[in-house]
Amino acid sequence: GEEVAQTPKHLVRGEGQKAKLYCAPIKGHSYVFWYQQVLKNEFKFLISFQNENVFDETGMPKERFSAKCLPNSPCSLEIQATKLEDSAVYFCASSQGDAQDTQYFGPGTRLTVL
Amino acid sequence: RKEVEQDPGPFNVPEGATVAFNCTYSNSASQSFFWYRQDCRKEPKLLMSVYSSGNEDGRFTAQLNRASQYISLLIRDSKLSDSATYLCAVNPSGNQGGKLIFGQGTELSVKP
């Protein structure tokens, strides 16, 4: 597609439940990024992929968070045993990996952990 | 010190005003710079990439100062519809596929 698609738009989970978020990058883009935005505009980088391969996972919490980008499937970000502090908007972005390397963002998934 | 820092907001300006935002970055190896606009916690939308020579798009002008390690955004003749949060973003690695580091955002409110 010509836009980054994310599902679901909203997700509500009780503490300790699992949450799974999906992202379909723009067709032809080889890089996918996940960011977390909590409260006032603080974006935190989580992980990036180059095609199906993890490119940079320096932002991923070691426990509870995992992500995949498999061929012919949307990318996914999974949080096991959610905590209250995981409540945030999770944005996915994709880029072509060209010289300017602009990242285009999806509409985000708002996760609320109760 | 944060890797990317922006002017604190909010900026409240009347329609037609000129407003400027600055953003400093700490990693001198950074190669790619962007201004995004975010409305009401929706997704950031690319406003402008920032090129070494500076670039202009209608009422918007972006500048890069590598020596002082800052980028700027100038909005001329501001409109009510310019009200949003403006985020600067930097790819500090200089590599393709590198993550973006965002500033904390500057809120702009344009009043009639």
Side-chain angles (χ1 to χ4, degrees):
Chain A
E2 294 192 10
E3 292 181 338
V4 177
Q6 287 188 250
T7 55
K9 276 182 102 167
H10 302 281
L11 193 55
V12 180
R13 288 289 179 266
E15 263 197 295
Q17 291 186 314
K18 185 170 74 176
K20 196 163 185 179
L21 292 61
Y22 297 92
C23 168
I26 293 172
K27 196 175 176 183
H29 282 194
S30 46
Y31 290 93
V32 172
F33 307 80
W34 285 99
Y35 295 89
Q36 179 195 57
Q37 187 180 30
V38 178
L39 295 173
K40 284 280 280 183
N41 302 319
E42 292 285 346
F43 277 82
K44 182 187 173 195
F45 166 77
L46 295 175
I47 190 169
S48 61
F49 289 82
Q50 182 180 19
N51 299 311
E52 301 92 59
N53 305 307
V54 174
F55 188 72
D56 179 353
E57 57 183 345
T58 53
M60 278 290 262
K62 298 291 183 215
E63 299 171 355
R64 305 187 301 109
F65 282 65
S66 62
K68 291 180 195 173
C69 278
L70 299 175
N72 303 312
S73 296
C75 296
S76 63
L77 176 70
E78 190 166 339
I79 309 172
Q80 302 284 345
T82 51
K83 295 185 177 181
L84 295 176
E85 65 254 32
D86 298 332
S87 294
V89 181
Y90 292 82
F91 288 105
C92 174
S94 70
S95 73
Q96 277 185 306
D98 58 6
Q100 188 59 25
D101 208 22
T102 302
Q103 292 185 26
Y104 297 92
F105 284 76
T109 293
R110 183 176 296 276
L111 172 65
T112 302
V113 181
L114 302 174
Chain B
R1 185 188 166 190
K2 293 189 176 187
E3 281 191 76
V4 178
E5 289 198 80
Q6 289 187 240
D7 281 348
F11 282 60
N12 297 303
V13 303
E15 266 188 293
T18 295
V19 61
F21 304 135
N22 284 332
C23 171
T24 57
Y25 60 94
S26 60
N27 189 330
S28 59
S30 301
Q31 295 294 327
S32 303
F33 309 89
F34 306 90
W35 283 102
Y36 283 84
R37 169 195 169 127
Q38 188 178 30
D39 294 90
C40 297
R41 302 296 301 279
K42 293 186 177 177
E43 74 270 28
K45 289 195 184 291
L46 181 70
L47 186 63
M48 298 177 80
S49 301
V50 186
Y51 302 114
S52 295
S53 53
N55 44 304
E56 190 173 308
D57 182 3
R59 298 181 294 108
F60 299 86
T61 301
Q63 298 271 339
L64 167 63
N65 185 318
R66 284 192 188 276
S68 300
Q69 293 182 207
Y70 75 84
I71 61 173
S72 63
L73 178 69
L74 184 77
I75 305 175
R76 288 180 298 278
D77 188 23
S78 51
K79 313 285 184 197
L80 297 177
S81 56
D82 293 334
S83 297
T85 296
Y86 290 83
L87 297 157
C88 69
V90 176
N91 175 349
S93 72
N95 297 325
Q96 289 172 3
K99 65 187 178 191
L100 291 178
I101 306 294
F102 283 86
Q104 66 267 48
T106 301
E107 190 179 334
L108 172 65
S109 180
V110 181
K111 306 287 188 191

